[in-house]
Amino acid sequence: MANTTFSGPVRSESTVKTVSKNTSTGAITEVTTFGDGPVSLADADVTLTNATHSGRVLLVPDGGQDNTYTLPAPIAGSVFRFVYAGGAADATDAIIVTPGNTNFFIGGVTFLDSDNEVSSVFSNGSSNSKIQINVPAGFDVTIVGKDTTNYQIFGNVTSATAPTFGDQ
C-alpha cells in the first residue's frame, strides 16, 4: 500500500489506530489507539494489551493491595500513560513491569517528596524491568515503546516514599 498525504484535517467518528505489519507474515498488530476515553484499571493485577490500553489514559485506583500492571512486549510507538485516580494518598503500591527481564526501562521519573523535596529516580538503562510506585499521593507516568526491546519512561511521582526501579 502506498503512503497517503493529507493537506487538511483527518476526521474519524470513532478512533484512529496505529498498526504495524509484519513484512514476512503480513500479520497486523495494533500499536496504539487515539481518541478513546480513559481506561479505569481494576484493583487487581492487570496484564495490558496494545489494542485496549496503548494510547489511552490508564486510571490507577487507590488499591486494596499492591497491584502489578504488566506491559505487553514493546512495540516502537506504543504509549501507556498511568495516572493515579485515587481520592487520597494510597496505602499500597502500584508496580509496573515489562513482560520479562529482557525488556527494560530507560529513563526515570521526578520524585516530588511530600516532605517538600524534589529529586530524580532513574532506571539503570540495562536491566531494570520494574518500577514500584510506593504509597503514592499522586503520579503521572508515561511509558513509550522505544523499539522491540526497550521502553522509555518519564513522568512524576508524589509520595513520602521514593519510587524504585529494579529487576524482576
Side-chain angles (χ1 to χ4, degrees), residues 29-105:
T29 302
E30 286 188 29
V31 176
T32 192
T33 300
F34 299 100
D36 255 350
V39 175
S40 294
L41 297 175
D43 183 10
D45 294 344
V46 178
T47 299
L48 306 176
T49 65
N50 284 300
T52 301
H53 302 99
S54 180
R56 300 172 72 184
V57 174
L58 306 174
L59 301 174
V60 178
D62 181 350
Q65 67 282 319
D66 293 352
N67 291 318
T68 300
Y69 303 103
T70 304
L71 297 164
I75 297 175
S78 59
V79 179
F80 300 90
R81 181 176 176 203
F82 296 86
V83 176
Y84 179 62
D90 200 341
T92 63
D93 303 342
I95 303 163
I96 304 167
V97 299
T98 68
N101 275 328
T102 58
N103 309 115
F104 49 87
F105 293 119

Side-chain angles (χ1 to χ4, degrees), residues 5-160:
T5 303
F6 298 94
S7 60
V10 176
R11 187 177 119 167
S12 170
E13 293 191 12
S14 180
T15 61
V16 176
K17 295 183 183 291
T18 302
V19 299
S20 66
K21 181 178 179 182
N22 184 305
T23 55
S24 56
T25 66
I28 299 291
T29 302
E30 286 188 29
V31 176
T32 192
T33 300
F34 299 100
D36 255 350
V39 175
S40 294
L41 297 175
D43 183 10
D45 294 344
V46 178
T47 299
L48 306 176
T49 65
N50 284 300
T52 301
H53 302 99
S54 180
R56 300 172 72 184
V57 174
L58 306 174
L59 301 174
V60 178
D62 181 350
Q65 67 282 319
D66 293 352
N67 291 318
T68 300
Y69 303 103
T70 304
L71 297 164
I75 297 175
S78 59
V79 179
F80 300 90
R81 181 176 176 203
F82 296 86
V83 176
Y84 179 62
D90 200 341
T92 63
D93 303 342
I95 303 163
I96 304 167
V97 299
T98 68
N101 275 328
T102 58
N103 309 115
F104 49 87
F105 293 119
I106 297 172
V109 296
T110 301
F111 172 50
L112 308 167
D113 190 327
S114 54
D115 296 327
N116 300 320
E117 296 179 25
V118 177
S119 61
S120 297
V121 179
F122 292 98
S123 70
N124 66 4
S126 62
S127 68
N128 290 162
S129 56
K130 171 176 79 171
I131 181 171
Q132 185 158 344
I133 301 171
N134 298 299
V135 293
F139 60 83
D140 188 341
V141 174
T142 301
I143 299 172
V144 178
K146 188 172 184 221
D147 50 37
T148 57
T149 303
N150 305 317
Y151 278 108
Q152 186 73 43
I153 186 169
F154 53 90
N156 61 67
V157 174
T158 303
S159 176

